[in-house]
Amino acid sequence: MAETHSLQDLRQQAAVAAKVFIQRDYTNGTLCQFQTKFPSDLETRIDKQQFEETVRTLNNLYAEAEKLGSQSYIEGCLACLTAYTIFLCMETHYEKVLKKIAKYIQEQNDKVYGPRGLLLTDPIERGLRVIEITIFEDRSLTQ
Amino acid sequence: MKNCEYQQIDPRALSVSPLSAQSHTTEKKEQRPRRKWEVFPGKNRFFCDGRLILARQSGVLPLTLGLIVVTCGLFFAFDCPFLVKHLTVFIPVIGGALFVFVVISLLRTSFTDPGILPRATPDEAADIERQIDTSGSSTYRPPPRTKEILINQQVVKLKYCFTCKMFRPPRTSHCSLCDNCVERFDHHCPWVGNCVGKRNYRFFYSFIISLSFLTSFIFGCVIAHITLRSQAGKSLVQAIQESPASVVELVICFFSIWSILGLSGFHTYLVASNLTTNEDIKGSWSGKRGAEESGNPYSYNNIITNCCVTLCGPVPPSLIDRRGFVPPDEVIPAASSASEMELPHFSAKNDVNMEENCQDFSLSCTA
């Protein structure tokens, strides 16, 4: 009870039992959205509501990154006027939101998914194709 | 069956056990950590340690750059002194600004990642296989797989990419020259030496628009130069003899203007209707069944919105993460599958050669 396992230790000790992939949802076009359908492999591990909330929050964050508002247009016009050299010193709005997403996923892994033997992989590491959820075997948790 | 191009991936074989991972890391610690661009499976070239990307077949990019630099050089050297004296000093200023803008746009188009999608990891590919193929092992190449989805109440077919082992997102196409799937694929431009896709379409568009202005500007200035010279009591032939470089510029600009202006007009139409060259050529949305049913599902039905979205909309960063480091225990699927794929082709070629040799031998014997 005194020892607390960090996520790194967990990953090295536990064997990967399975991987679940949440695919993209294209019903609204080419925007980056993920399907909220609850995969059957996770039924024994996590609550359906919890999972759906995670995916929905991620979808909202990606929608915010790709939002067509005045800010993105100003950024685009400014970039064109400076012959696109402005991005050598400035970060785009999209990149800022991606950092927010990375932080959110880290937080979810620490609080919700890690204790249940699951690991969320940031979709950007998979080319924004899938959310990869790694399911670890239970034996290290029962020590 | 030795000539099996398509292989079923066994997910059980991919599970990473702790022991093998540890031995792997001790081995790899002796090698220096490699960046992801060094193991990139597509046909691309990388410069500046992965910061710049170009297609392996860079086409005629040196020719494009050469033509632009030579024409502008001749313009500044031979026409500008005369025009500054007789007209205004703003001519080289405007010319210089246009030249700089053209070159920067061209370099940005050539060296930016067009929106390449990284290939699916083996686990992902196995997962997709499992969802589709329930009929055991396949000893022949399965029929092309498509998945139909609804986008804005319209049916769109997604195709499966055998090279990248994933279902291509909508508007994505696989470039055979670069061997990559590119998002919002427009076309592979040999003049620019790269694919034109989601991330560099605006640079390409600003390149051709500014190039149209530049060529028209130079053309107009050279005409003014020769006219002014021949007006000062000399004939046209004498004026040309005094400034032969102007004729070279005239010829280059004359031929460029037709093609570049036409291309600019075409791409302005594409931008206004939120289409790609690929979709326009294939006629994906051009009302085969009737104008009502198959309109473009991605268009916002407003020219200004379409222009803003295509040219000023947000752009994701490069998805292939060229400068990231390869994790020490990662399996590199492309290299192994490429070498496996080469073997059946090689043996097939040998068989064909042998057949031909046998036939020739038999013919020569009977002759």
Side-chain angles (χ1 to χ4, degrees):
Chain A
M1 270 324 209
E3 264 187 23
T4 46
H5 289 282
S6 71
L7 266 169
Q8 298 283 67
D9 296 338
L10 202 70
R11 248 178 276 171
Q12 282 166 12
Q13 286 173 20
V16 177
K19 285 193 185 184
V20 181
F21 297 96
I22 313 296
Q23 301 285 340
R24 284 270 295 268
D25 176 20
Y26 295 114
T27 46
N28 288 325
T30 50
L31 293 175
C32 184
Q33 301 279 286
F34 291 96
Q35 292 177 359
T36 48
K37 191 168 83 85
F38 188 56
S40 50
D41 291 338
L42 294 178
E43 264 166 22
T44 52
R45 295 293 191 117
I46 194 168
D47 218 15
K48 183 174 170 189
Q49 260 90 7
Q50 188 68 55
F51 170 80
E52 279 181 10
E53 202 207 296
T54 310
V55 180
R56 230 173 262 143
T57 314
L58 282 175
N59 283 344
N60 288 337
L61 283 168
Y62 280 115
E64 190 198 317
E66 298 186 20
K67 194 172 67 152
L68 305 161
S70 50
Q71 199 206 349
S72 58
Y73 291 151
I74 291 173
E75 207 178 66
C77 289
L78 193 68
C80 180
L81 289 173
T82 58
Y84 304 105
T85 50
I86 193 166
F87 293 134
L88 294 169
C89 35
M90 204 178 85
E91 211 179 44
T92 63
H93 173 65
Y94 207 109
E95 283 167 356
K96 287 189 195 131
V97 179
L98 282 178
K99 285 208 178 130
K100 241 203 277 185
I101 291 173
K103 227 188 327 178
Y104 175 74
I105 288 183
Q106 180 71 35
E107 187 197 351
Q108 288 283 294
N109 272 333
D110 288 334
K111 289 196 201 147
V112 179
Y113 290 83
R116 292 176 168 82
L118 300 170
L119 183 69
L120 281 178
T121 307
D122 196 339
I124 195 79
E125 290 174 34
R126 297 285 176 262
L128 291 181
R129 285 188 307 265
V130 287
I131 305 177
E132 187 179 302
I133 304 181
T134 317
I135 305 175
F136 291 101
E137 280 178 12
D138 247 332
R139 50 187 172 86
S140 60
L141 292 173
T142 54
Q143 280 175 16
Chain B
M1 286 286 153
K2 57 180 170 83
N3 288 339
C4 188
E5 278 180 45
Y6 186 68
Q7 293 157 19
Q8 193 86 335
I9 298 170
D10 180 20
R12 289 285 147 245
L14 296 168
S15 56
V16 179
S17 63
L19 284 173
S20 67
Q22 275 177 22
S23 60
H24 240 245
T25 41
T26 46
E27 278 174 24
K28 294 278 179 180
K29 266 182 197 157
E30 281 142 21
Q31 302 174 10
R32 80 175 163 81
R34 292 196 293 175
R35 293 203 190 253
K36 287 185 186 167
W37 65 266
E38 297 177 60
V39 298
F40 187 68
K43 292 185 189 156
N44 288 96
R45 269 189 278 185
F46 297 89
F47 303 101
C48 291
D49 199 20
R51 288 184 182 87
L52 306 175
I53 179 172
L54 193 65
R56 190 169 294 171
Q57 288 186 16
S58 58
V60 290
L61 173 64
L63 177 67
T64 313
L65 262 176
L67 272 175
I68 295 174
V69 168
V70 161
T71 313
C72 290
L74 289 175
F75 176 70
F76 289 126
F78 293 99
D79 296 279
C80 278
F82 183 89
L83 288 168
V84 164
K85 213 170 15 157
H86 287 81
L87 279 180
T88 167
V89 76
F90 283 117
I91 287 184
V93 171
I94 295 175
L98 277 174
F99 171 70
V100 165
F101 199 79
V102 164
V103 171
I104 291 183
S105 301
L106 172 62
L107 294 178
R108 247 4 260 255
T109 313
S110 303
F111 291 117
T112 303
D113 171 15
I116 298 174
L117 284 177
R119 298 193 183 175
T121 56
D123 296 330
E124 270 179 71
D127 188 63
I128 296 179
E129 307 263 333
R130 243 180 304 145
Q131 286 174 20
I132 302 161
D133 218 27
T134 50
S135 59
S137 66
S138 48
T139 52
Y140 61 94
R141 190 181 175 127
R145 300 165 175 171
T146 53
K147 193 162 74 166
E148 288 195 356
I149 54 167
L150 268 181
I151 296 182
N152 292 331
Q153 279 86 49
Q154 202 170 320
V155 176
V156 173
K157 266 194 193 160
L158 297 186
K159 282 198 194 154
Y160 182 77
C161 182
F162 283 99
T163 316
C164 304
K165 299 217 167 43
M166 60 177 176
F167 277 100
R168 280 184 216 132
R171 308 193 99 174
T172 304
S173 194
H174 191 93
C175 176
S176 45
L177 288 164
C178 304
D179 207 21
N180 289 317
C181 269
V182 176
E183 277 189 294
R184 204 185 183 279
F185 181 73
D186 197 84
H187 65 286
H188 181 100
C189 186
W191 296 96
V192 152
N194 201 359
C195 290
V196 177
K198 179 156 101 169
R199 295 187 74 246
N200 65 352
Y201 186 70
R202 60 195 64 190
F203 306 139
F204 177 74
Y205 186 73
S206 58
F207 168 61
I208 54 176
I209 294 285
S210 51
L211 191 61
S212 328
F213 280 119
L214 181 67
T215 47
S216 318
F217 181 74
I218 292 183
F219 192 72
C221 288
V222 170
I223 298 271
H225 176 199
I226 295 186
T227 315
L228 285 172
R229 260 195 210 265
S230 53
Q231 262 176 5
K234 301 174 202 153
S235 72
L236 189 64
V237 179
Q238 261 184 315
I240 290 175
Q241 274 174 349
E242 276 178 24
S243 169
S246 306
V247 181
V248 175
E249 290 166 51
L250 265 182
V251 168
I252 294 177
C253 286
F254 182 71
F255 287 113
S256 311
I257 281 183
W258 287 114
S259 41
I260 299 286
L261 274 179
L263 197 63
S264 305
F266 175 62
H267 276 279
T268 308
Y269 157 71
L270 288 182
V271 165
S273 39
N274 204 335
L275 277 174
T276 63
T277 307
N278 203 24
E279 287 166 355
D280 191 69
I281 288 179
K282 283 190 193 162
S284 311
W285 318 116
S286 66
K288 274 178 260 179
R289 298 176 227 117
E292 249 88 3
E293 280 179 35
S294 50
N296 181 5
Y298 312 107
S299 169
Y300 292 84
N301 294 318
N302 179 351
I303 290 180
I304 296 179
T305 317
N306 281 339
C307 290
C308 287
V309 166
T310 315
L311 301 174
C312 305
V315 151
S318 176
L319 294 174
I320 53 177
D321 188 26
R322 307 181 291 276
R323 288 177 48 78
F325 287 102
V326 176
D329 53 356
E330 185 174 289
V331 177
I332 305 165
S336 51
S337 63
S339 57
E340 279 171 49
M341 292 262 279
E342 277 175 33
L343 287 173
H345 287 196
F346 202 60
S347 52
K349 273 189 204 157
N350 271 344
D351 287 342
V352 168
N353 278 340
M354 277 176 64
E355 263 186 49
E356 284 178 17
N357 287 338
C358 286
Q359 279 184 358
D360 291 342
F361 185 67
S362 62
L363 280 172
S364 62
C365 277
T366 52

